Amino acid sequence: MAATMKLTRTETKLFLRDPIALFFGLIFPGLMLWALGLFFPGFTDHVAELGGDRYIDIYGPIVLGLGLATLGLVTLPPILGTYRQFGILRRLRTTPVHPVRLLTAQLIVHGVVAIASTALALVVVVSLFDVPLPQSPVWFLVSFVLATASIFSIGLLVGALVRTSVSGQAIGMGIYFPMLFFAGVWIPRSIMSDGLRFVSDLTPLGSAVQTLEDSWFGTTPSLMNLAVMAAYAVVASAIAIRFFRWE
Amino acid sequence: MAVIEVAGLVKTYGETRAVDGVSFEVQEGEIFGIVGPNGAGKTTIVESVEGLRQPDAGAISVLGLDPIRDRYEITERLGAQLQESRLQDKIRVNEALELYASFYRHPADWRDLLDRLGLEGKETARYADLSGGQKQRLAVALALVGSPEVAILDELTTGLDPQARRDTWDTIEDIKRAGVTVVLVTHFMEEADRLCDRIMVIDHGRVAAIDTPAGLIGRIGSKQRLRFRPSNPLDDGLLSRLPDVSAVTHEGPQTIVTGTGNVVHSVTALLAQQHVIAQDLRIEQASLEDAYLALTGDALVETGSENR
């Protein structure tokens, strides 16, 4: 436990020293919502085709999902790839501290950054654009935890198998962009066709955005969306643990 | 007392027998060298001792413990520097040492280690900003930060410039003086000769020889060679009649006399008596490098005869 905390402290410092990870992982979601709300024409107007909602309302959950995906799929896998490539995991195996502690530390760091980045984005939309605070806070929390668990498990799975930082980056990105599409970054889910929305429901990020939106505006998330995220979390992390390569 | 005992170690990767029946013992307090060509199996041997690899056959005991079964206890008492292992680019020297020190029951004072390894003043330097020699010395510091009884250093000086290599040698001698048993994997004969109490020569996954550096050199005979340019013409017959001389040859203006025992004394005495001055005189003795080449060359021949 002491070693895990010590590793977490060191990995936090290293994360804070990486300006790109810091910008995209921590600041970007809040900044993006601020810029969209302020500069995108009509973003804060009520729109008939969204059933009277404003774009800023429905983009809140989408950008939160994007933030989680950036941390889990863009930042995490190359770090794990680097640690394998550099022999850092192998080096740890020769000490009394098992390298699984380093993975735990990485997940803690990414989890804390995810919470901070989500909080920042919430502060931006709630204080600047009259978006309400999450109306079902407990369901919002459940959705956030499941969303983070499912996305990070997929990132962990990629990181478990890649040999290098570069391949971690490539494969992570290859999953990231399709996920963003299904999350509704380009076409919001409420405008998607039924078929497309069904596929989106089957992706962890699509379900994440839906449950975050539901709980934010006071609807109980559907069991199907919650189950999809839970399933990805369990299956991906089980495969990651089973096939993790220390070198 | 043997700190490391390896008997009949075998490790196969696919079709290749990387290590093929290797046995050796490392005594307490010595520097034990493992030398051999690239791909001879050196790293596989030490990684098996470190418990990073599970051997296919054979027994390994380190400080009376089994590297796989007693994994945790071994990691507390054995420090390792791995070949081609590095740290995070942005980690600072003091952070790395403090972190690794926190892993052990009885850590050494890492500030003291920094001074001993000549890294004082580099505490807050980032890993990426260290020179090759400094990175290697930090790797040694990390291997020693748990106060180990045994340190295994794998290709420590590969890629270092000659000055950094020599500085690292001093470091290794310091480690020995501090009472730590050292296993040193290298392919520099000069390094093995200078540092090691005993050397194991590995070739094609087998032990070609285990001996002291002098013992290894002695195995190829105590031949000496004198090379000089005589100031006046000198009759070869006078030289070859000397009791210790085995051959006299010429290379351009140079005379080369090969022999054993007192050959140097006999030749210089003859030259003085004939009033001949030996210009550009050089005396060559067999080196560890010669012994190594002879040993690994022999092993090649043996493998050839087996295949018939």
Side-chain angles (χ1 to χ4, degrees), chain B residues 179-195:
Chain B
V180 179
T181 305
V182 179
V183 176
L184 183 72
V185 177
T186 184
H187 58 245
F188 295 111
M189 289 313 124
E190 196 192 348
E191 179 168 306
D193 196 8
R194 153 91 188 264
L195 293 173

Side-chain angles (χ1 to χ4, degrees), chain B residues 188-214:
Chain B
F188 295 111
M189 289 313 124
E190 196 192 348
E191 179 168 306
D193 196 8
R194 153 91 188 264
L195 293 173
C196 298
D197 297 301
R198 289 189 309 136
I199 296 170
M200 170 164 75
V201 181
I202 294 288
D203 193 35
H204 289 86
R206 295 186 182 185
V207 178
I210 301 179
D211 210 331
T212 59

